[in-house]
């Protein structure tokens, strides 16, 4: 088995990557994480999903590919230039709502127990406002984060933040958790 052999990568990924490179955005989600997200959202028909940290829309494209026609995705990004790239390539999809706003602000306005999946791919909802993000997940819903293995772009002292976050998540008895030393390092949690 070769987990890097991924069938049917979203066609729009090439164009998103090209635009992200021009913007010097170097933190996109990888294809392994994308394939995992696509598979998980496919398990939630009529799902309501939240992505914190749209970036240029790479993971967003994977999420949309896995969603059925009655599902919805809210994707939040504070960088207006990045969300413009996502809007250019994905904004035609009526299931998607792109919001240009700091994640911290967005997290304080959403109702609890409302999402079938929260993918936190930025600091808000992961390293700050974690409880707000976790409270959004419905029973049986997923909370997913990536970039838990050492990354070349980590600032000094970031490894300690990762260790603290993982300990916090390990101790949260509201969720079942699995840590995957795979892709960029993924944590998948399901609300009990």
């Amino acid at each position: 088995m070769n987990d890097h052999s991924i069938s049917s990568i979203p066609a729009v990924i090439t164009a998103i990557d090209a635009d992200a490179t021009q913007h010097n955005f170097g933190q996109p989600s990888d294809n392994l994480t994308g394939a995992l997200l696509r598979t998980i959202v496919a398990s939630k028909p009529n799902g309501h999903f939240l992505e914190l940290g749209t970036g240029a829309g790479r993971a967003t494209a994977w999420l949309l590919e896995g969603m059925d026609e009655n599902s919805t995705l809210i994707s939040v990004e504070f960088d207006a230039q990045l969300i413009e790239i996502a809007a250019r390539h994905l904004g035609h999809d009526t299931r998607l709502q792109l919001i240009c706003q700091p994640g911290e602000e967005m997290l304080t306005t959403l109702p609890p127990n409302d999402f079938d999946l929260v993918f936190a791919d930025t600091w808000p909802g992961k390293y700050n406002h974690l409880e707000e993000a976790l409270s959004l997940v419905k029973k049986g819903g997923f909370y997913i984060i990536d970039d838990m293995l050492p990354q070349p772009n980590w600032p000094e002292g970031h490894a300690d933040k990762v260790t603290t976050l993982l300990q916090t998540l390990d101790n949260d008895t509201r969720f079942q958790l699995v840590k995957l030393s795979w892709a960029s390092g993924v944590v998948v949690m399901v609300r009990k």
Side-chain angles (χ1 to χ4, degrees):
M1 180 173 75
N2 177 2
D3 60 358
H4 288 275
S5 177
I6 301 170
S7 62
S8 59
I9 293 172
V12 71
I13 292 287
T14 302
I16 289 172
D17 286 349
D19 284 356
T21 299
Q22 287 183 349
H23 185 66
N24 295 319
F25 180 65
Q27 299 174 326
S29 294
D30 60 44
N31 287 339
L32 290 171
T33 302
L36 177 67
L37 291 169
R38 175 176 64 187
T39 301
I40 289 174
V41 297
S43 76
K44 299 288 186 182
N46 302 305
H48 189 45
F49 308 114
L50 175 65
E51 177 185 29
L52 299 166
T54 311
R58 201 171 207 286
T60 316
W62 284 99
L63 288 161
L64 290 168
E65 280 237 340
M67 291 165 45
D68 70 11
E69 65 280 356
N70 296 315
S71 292
T72 58
L73 171 62
I74 297 171
S75 189
V76 183
E77 173 61 50
F78 76 95
D79 185 320
Q81 290 181 315
L82 287 175
I83 208 160
E84 206 300 302
I85 295 169
R88 182 167 49 252
H89 297 290
L90 304 169
H92 63 279
D93 193 319
T94 58
R95 301 170 300 164
L96 174 63
Q97 181 182 5
L98 291 168
I99 298 175
C100 187
Q101 182 178 19
E104 295 90 344
E105 291 176 15
M106 188 69 181
L107 281 167
T108 61
T109 65
L110 296 168
N113 305 309
D114 196 44
F115 290 93
D116 294 292
L117 175 139
V118 173
F119 176 50
D121 194 19
T122 188
W123 284 60
K126 191 189 298 189
Y127 296 107
N128 63 64
H129 293 75
L130 174 63
E131 182 53 38
E132 288 86 346
L134 293 175
S135 74
L136 299 176
V137 180
K138 292 179 183 178
K139 185 176 182 178
F142 292 87
Y143 172 82
I144 300 175
I145 55 175
D146 62 351
D147 302 327
M148 294 291 101
L149 292 174
Q151 305 293 310
N153 61 351
W154 278 7
E156 188 174 327
H158 188 68
D160 293 337
K161 288 180 175 43
V162 171
T163 299
T164 299
L165 173 61
L166 291 173
Q167 288 172 346
T168 299
L169 297 176
D170 268 335
N171 293 325
D172 194 323
T173 59
R174 298 170 297 179
F175 290 84
Q176 291 291 347
L177 173 144
V178 62
K179 293 179 271 189
L180 305 171
S181 294
W182 170 84
S184 64
V186 179
V187 174
V188 178
M189 298 174 66
V190 177
R191 184 140 200 171
K192 296 190 245 178

